[in-house]
Amino acid sequence: MADERTRYFRRLSRLRRSARRWSVTAGGLSGAAAVLAPYAGLGLPDAAWAAGAGGALALAAWRWIDLRALAAQPAPPALDPAEAAARSRARLVAAVERLPVGPGVLAEVRRVRSRVALRGTSAAEPWARLDRAALTLAGMTGRLTGLAEPAVLEAAEADRSLRDLAGRVASVDRALRLAPAEARPALAEAHRSLTSQLEQGVAAYERLVVAAAGYVAGEAHPDAAHPAASRLTEATDLLHGVASALTELRGVGAPLRTP
């Protein structure tokens, strides 16, 4: 999709071509009417030539008026390259999201990009643990219904908060390597505090995932037989019974066929 400046000049060019085309058409029809009317006398064909010439002249005049009105407007300013790149990226993301597998592909790309951005910092390992736990919880979200729904919403909010905290830890970690000697003690203390908060938050998130798995397992009643397995067992027993009955019938009917 073109920007405003490009659309403006495209519209201006279309109006100019249209005005020239209708001007040529009007001139041709007017010349034909001026020559043919005196040549054969006035008649119904001459009325058609005159009507066509008049319509073409009117359309040409309107096109020139529209062209002058548009040309009088100032052209939109040129788009900043950074903004143009952002718009192109947004259009590409929107096009990928419309594909059946688009959301999953974009989520994986963002996950890999975040992992690469945190590589080499103290936040990389907690972030990886958080990512594994989040993927595990995402696989159980469809079964966490009823009383477990508030926990799912809380987990989503905690996930965003912990990822933001991991980014801050990584930023402080990189700044700590560049800080002068007199500023390092304060930064080191802040880094230890943030890292401790991140570790505690990730551990709590992992405990939440374990509790969610326990909830899903409890909802499934693991100590009882699964209904599908019970039905399959009953169907198997029924088939065994039918097969035994057929075998007995064949054994009884065999002597009757002997001469």
Side-chain angles (χ1 to χ4, degrees):
M1 185 177 181
D3 57 4
E4 294 294 332
R5 185 179 178 86
T6 304
R7 285 197 296 268
Y8 170 82
F9 283 109
R10 283 181 181 175
R11 186 184 175 193
L12 193 67
S13 178
R14 284 197 301 268
L15 281 176
R16 184 179 292 109
R17 289 196 301 269
S18 178
R20 290 174 178 175
R21 183 169 58 250
W22 282 110
S23 297
V24 172
T25 303
L29 291 175
S30 299
V35 171
L36 294 177
Y39 179 75
L42 295 177
L44 186 61
D46 301 311
W49 284 108
L57 284 172
L59 284 173
W62 287 339
R63 289 293 182 269
W64 284 111
I65 292 172
D66 293 340
L67 176 63
R68 290 176 180 175
L70 183 62
Q73 299 176 6
L79 196 62
D80 183 70
E83 186 177 355
R87 291 187 179 183
S88 300
R89 184 165 55 251
R91 288 195 295 268
L92 178 61
V93 169
V96 173
E97 283 181 343
R98 287 193 291 269
L99 299 176
V101 296
V105 172
L106 290 176
E108 184 62 26
V109 169
R110 294 189 183 103
R111 187 178 298 112
V112 172
R113 185 177 60 184
S114 300
R115 186 183 302 120
V116 172
L118 297 177
R119 184 178 299 171
T121 65
S122 57
E125 194 272 335
W127 192 94
R129 289 168 49 198
L130 175 64
D131 196 46
R132 287 193 297 268
L135 289 176
T136 304
L137 184 62
M140 299 184 291
T141 302
R143 296 180 176 88
L144 296 173
T145 57
L147 297 176
E149 289 183 357
V152 175
L153 299 177
E154 186 65 26
E157 183 63 29
D159 179 78
R160 289 190 292 269
S161 177
L162 288 173
R163 292 183 188 276
D164 179 70
L165 181 59
R168 284 188 286 169
V169 170
S171 300
V172 175
D173 194 352
R174 296 189 184 97
L176 187 60
R177 301 171 187 175
L178 304 175
E182 60 274 10
R184 287 185 179 178
L187 277 178
E189 181 61 28
H191 181 264
R192 282 193 297 271
S193 176
L194 291 174
T195 304
S196 176
Q197 293 178 17
L198 180 61
E199 291 285 349
Q200 293 174 5
V202 172
Y205 192 92
E206 290 173 338
R207 290 194 296 270
L208 175 63
V209 174
V210 172
Y215 176 85
V216 173
E219 286 288 317
H221 304 292
D223 53 342
H226 196 275
S230 301
R231 290 193 296 268
L232 289 174
T233 302
E234 294 174 1
T236 303
D237 294 339
L238 177 61
L239 290 176
H240 280 308
V242 173
S244 300
L246 291 175
T247 302
E248 293 178 0
L249 288 175
R250 284 197 297 268
V252 171
L256 297 178
R257 292 194 298 271
T258 302

